[in-house]
Amino acid sequence: MQPQQSDVAAAQPAPPEKLTAAQARRVAARDSILAAARELIAEDGFAGAQVSLIAVRAGVGVGSIYKHFPSRAELFAEIYRDVAAREFAHVQAAVAETGGGAGARIAAAVATFCARALRGGRFAYALLVEHSEPDVDEHRLAFREGYRTLFREVLDQGIDAGEIPDQDTDTAAAALLGIMTETLVRPLADPGKNRDSEALIRQVVDLCLATVRARKLGRPDV
């Protein structure tokens, strides 16, 4: 059965409403504030992104920032939320687009995460581990849980298919997340130091794969 033309027309999204000049200025100011804050975080971390400096960089008054964001915490939380969601989507896509078994998909997820974080440098370090406002920390925990869930699902599928040994996938997923993030802390904290990024990524991937492929060991004598 073919859809009626009226049904097709109804399914099309409505064209965006044209902004007034005042609305356009407001949107432009908000975008400038977000961009300035991201730049300052990339340069000096969350601590260096003071509201007064953000205002100067964005070319707006301090009061204008508080018209768009109730607090510095809310500004940082929005930046973290947007960037973390985009990065998580890239990792999810890498898993979905990778053929082969659980090992290949875990490798793709870890490699994608590490490569993108290393390109982010100081900005990635701030988002990954640097203490900020409580709102940012809450979002950070939520996204970490998202990665754990993603890894756990891949591991469960790998166990069901007989590709990897049976294991507590919740613990294994947490271990993968820990390896993937903690091994990047020092490189991201000092992005100016010459490092072989590809070799580092390969090592992190190998460590993660060795973790999930390990056979259970006998209990040591006490």
Side-chain angles (χ1 to χ4, degrees):
M1 179 179 176
Q2 294 296 321
Q4 299 296 315
Q5 187 65 32
S6 58
D7 295 332
V8 175
Q12 299 299 317
E17 295 183 7
K18 186 175 180 179
L19 298 178
T20 65
Q23 290 172 328
R25 286 194 298 272
R26 182 175 176 82
V27 170
R30 192 176 194 278
D31 289 345
S32 295
I33 292 165
L34 288 167
R38 286 193 294 266
E39 290 173 5
L40 287 167
I41 293 169
E43 292 169 10
D44 297 307
F46 286 114
Q50 299 299 318
V51 172
S52 58
L53 298 178
I54 294 170
V56 171
R57 183 75 61 96
V60 301
V62 170
S64 178
I65 293 179
Y66 290 112
K67 289 180 181 177
H68 294 276
F69 302 96
S71 65
R72 182 170 176 259
E74 182 57 36
L75 169 59
F76 287 173
E78 177 159 337
I79 290 171
Y80 184 90
R81 209 164 42 232
D82 290 347
V83 176
R86 182 173 66 246
E87 295 306 310
F88 185 63
H90 279 287
V91 173
Q92 283 182 307
V95 171
E97 294 165 4
T98 298
R105 283 177 287 151
I106 288 171
V110 174
T112 299
F113 179 91
C114 292
R116 294 184 63 82
L118 289 170
R119 285 199 295 271
R122 184 66 179 79
F123 185 64
Y125 174 83
L127 297 185
L128 191 62
V129 298
E130 189 173 277
H131 177 69
S132 180
E133 309 291 341
D135 289 357
V136 172
D137 292 336
E138 288 179 11
H139 289 304
R140 184 180 286 142
L141 289 173
F143 276 99
R144 288 175 71 90
E145 187 58 33
Y147 282 102
R148 285 183 61 176
T149 299
L150 178 64
F151 282 134
R152 187 169 58 243
E153 290 173 351
V154 175
L155 291 169
D156 285 335
Q157 293 164 5
I159 292 171
D160 290 342
E163 298 165 2
I164 57 176
D166 188 20
Q167 56 198 282
D168 179 345
T169 54
D170 191 57
T171 300
L176 291 179
L177 179 61
I179 293 170
M180 187 175 73
T181 55
E182 290 302 318
T183 51
L184 296 182
V185 171
R186 187 172 294 176
L188 292 176
D190 187 13
K193 186 175 181 179
N194 291 328
R195 286 185 175 86
D196 186 340
S197 294
E198 291 186 4
L200 174 59
I201 293 169
R202 285 195 300 271
Q203 184 175 10
V204 177
V205 169
D206 288 345
L207 287 169
C208 288
L209 292 179
T211 296
V212 300
R213 289 173 174 166
R215 297 286 176 179
K216 292 181 181 179
L217 301 176
R219 291 188 62 181
D221 294 333
V222 179

